[in-house]
């Protein structure tokens, strides 16, 4: 069974600085999908970025980018130029190639300080 | 476009009472998911449907929980009888099957069982 591990329960960063959130996963599949979701205090789950395992190029969405290391089964999220609105819980999630089931990590609380 | 709609947003009930949570997926989506979020267990998939048919209900905690999807635009999650340990935020999400697999989440229902 797939598992997703986020080893940083909490992190903080100064506004305008860069922060990296870690995620590792375990799977026996060769193709799969990885996601980062953001959950602000409003509790709405918002997709931040996704990565297909068959793509070598790291995904980027504006200030958000990932470092996908398939051999190491690592999928970290980098937030550049952090903003106060980035304060949220961030979840890493894995989805296998077959089936629609998302497996989430425990989450990392990110606090952006002014 | 309207997103995933859940009702009620908040529910407070007494132990032993029946609770029904409702979800309207995004129009055109053919997969629907029910998740539960707690501090202790994080985000867990309870059940998901494809084309109104339950595909995986292995996450449903026990027989007190049941879910139905009578048509493509409506699903319910029922707890009968409710217990204090059922207190959690319940999310509904929907997606297209066979697409890029992004799941869109509703705002969640915060359930408190006293």
């Amino acid at each position: 069974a797939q598992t997703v591990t986020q080893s940083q329960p909490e992190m903080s960063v100064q506004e305008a600085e860069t922060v990296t959130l870690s995620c590792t996963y375990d799977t026996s599949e060769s193709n799969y999908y990885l996601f980062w979701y953001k959950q602000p205090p409003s509790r709405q789950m918002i997709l931040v970025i996704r990565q297909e395992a068959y793509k070598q190029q790291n995904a980027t969405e504006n200030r958000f980018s990932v470092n996908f290391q398939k051999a190491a089964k690592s999928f970290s999220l980098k937030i550049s130029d952090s903003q106060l609105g980035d304060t949220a819980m961030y979840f890493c999630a894995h989805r296998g190639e077959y089936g629609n089931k998302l497996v989430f990590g425990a989450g990392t609380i990110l606090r952006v300080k002014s | 476009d309207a997103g995933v709609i859940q009702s009620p947003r908040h529910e407070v009930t007494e132990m032993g009472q029946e609770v029904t949570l409702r979800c309207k997926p995004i129009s055109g989506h053919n997969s629907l998911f029910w998740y539960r979020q707690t501090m202790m267990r994080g985000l867990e998939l309870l059940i998901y449907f494809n084309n109104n048919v339950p595909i995986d209900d292995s996450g449903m905690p026990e027989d007190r929980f049941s879910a139905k999807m009578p048509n493509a635009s409506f699903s319910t999650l029922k707890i009968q009888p409710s217990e204090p340990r059922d207190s959690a935020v319940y999310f509904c999400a929907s997606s297209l099957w066979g697409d890029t697999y992004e799941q869109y989440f509703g705002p969640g229902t915060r359930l408190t069982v006293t």
Side-chain angles (χ1 to χ4, degrees), chain A residues 37 39 43-44 50 95 100, chain B residues 37 101-103 105 107:
Chain A
Y37 277 87
Q39 187 179 39
R43 81 171 180 240
Q44 177 71 51
R50 63 170 172 255
R95 180 194 177 286
N100 249 3
Chain B
Q37 185 177 29
Y101 316 108
E102 176 177 345
Q103 293 184 18
F105 283 74

Side-chain angles (χ1 to χ4, degrees), chain A residues 19-21 36 48-49 58-68 75-80:
Chain A
V19 63
T20 298
L21 309 183
W36 279 97
V48 174
I49 198 164
N58 288 325
T60 299
E61 289 286 344
N62 301 314
R63 297 182 296 107
F64 299 87
S65 61
V66 298
N67 184 3
F68 173 49
F75 183 60
S76 60
L77 175 69
K78 185 172 82 170
I79 306 174
S80 304

Side-chain angles (χ1 to χ4, degrees), chain A:
Chain A
Q2 292 91 351
T3 59
V4 178
T5 303
Q6 294 179 249
S7 58
Q8 305 152 315
E10 295 188 29
M11 294 192 70
S12 62
V13 63
Q14 286 296 127
E15 201 174 3
E17 293 187 348
T18 296
V19 63
T20 298
L21 309 183
S22 301
C23 172
T24 59
Y25 57 93
D26 189 24
T27 182
S28 57
E29 295 179 330
S30 59
N31 195 29
Y32 46 86
Y33 304 84
L34 298 164
F35 305 85
W36 279 97
Y37 277 87
K38 168 186 177 180
Q39 187 179 39
S42 67
R43 81 171 180 240
Q44 177 71 51
M45 293 287 287
I46 302 164
L47 179 66
V48 174
I49 198 164
R50 63 170 172 255
Q51 174 82 41
E52 290 88 353
Y54 62 85
K55 290 186 178 179
Q56 294 184 337
Q57 186 173 5
N58 288 325
T60 299
E61 289 286 344
N62 301 314
R63 297 182 296 107
F64 299 87
S65 61
V66 298
N67 184 3
F68 173 49
Q69 301 289 328
K70 191 172 183 179
K73 295 181 181 177
S74 171
F75 183 60
S76 60
L77 175 69
K78 185 172 82 170
I79 306 174
S80 304
D81 186 24
S82 297
Q83 301 175 359
L84 295 177
D86 295 333
T87 292
M89 174 84 91
Y90 287 81
F91 292 96
C92 179
H94 171 283
R95 180 194 177 286
E97 183 176 19
Y98 304 106
N100 249 3
K101 188 173 181 176
L102 274 178
V103 175
F104 285 90
T108 297
I109 298 173
L110 175 67
R111 294 187 175 88
V112 181
K113 300 178 179 179
S114 59

Side-chain angles (χ1 to χ4, degrees), chain B residues 5-103:
Chain B
I5 299 172
Q6 290 186 250
S7 64
R9 293 293 306 275
H10 304 273
E11 176 79 32
V12 179
T13 191
E14 292 184 348
M15 182 174 64
Q17 296 298 306
E18 178 180 295
V19 174
T20 299
L21 310 182
R22 296 172 176 80
C23 175
K24 176 179 171 55
I26 292 173
S27 177
H29 281 186
N30 51 8
S31 292
L32 183 138
F33 310 81
W34 282 102
Y35 291 89
R36 178 172 67 176
Q37 185 177 29
T38 61
M39 290 292 292
M40 291 295 293
R41 300 177 66 90
L43 266 164
E44 307 173 273
L45 177 67
L46 299 178
I47 185 172
Y48 79 90
F49 296 83
N50 186 40
N51 292 325
N52 312 337
V53 176
I55 302 299
D56 183 347
D57 65 354
S58 60
M60 294 288 263
E62 48 197 277
D63 292 345
R64 297 184 297 106
F65 285 70
S66 63
K68 293 182 179 179
M69 192 164 186
N71 56 61
S73 59
F74 184 65
S75 177
T76 60
L77 178 67
K78 185 176 294 186
I79 308 172
Q80 167 63 21
S82 57
E83 295 182 3
R85 61 192 168 120
D86 301 331
S87 297
V89 178
Y90 291 81
F91 287 99
C92 176
S94 72
S95 75
L96 282 169
W97 181 272
D99 196 36
T100 55
Y101 316 108
E102 176 177 345
Q103 293 184 18

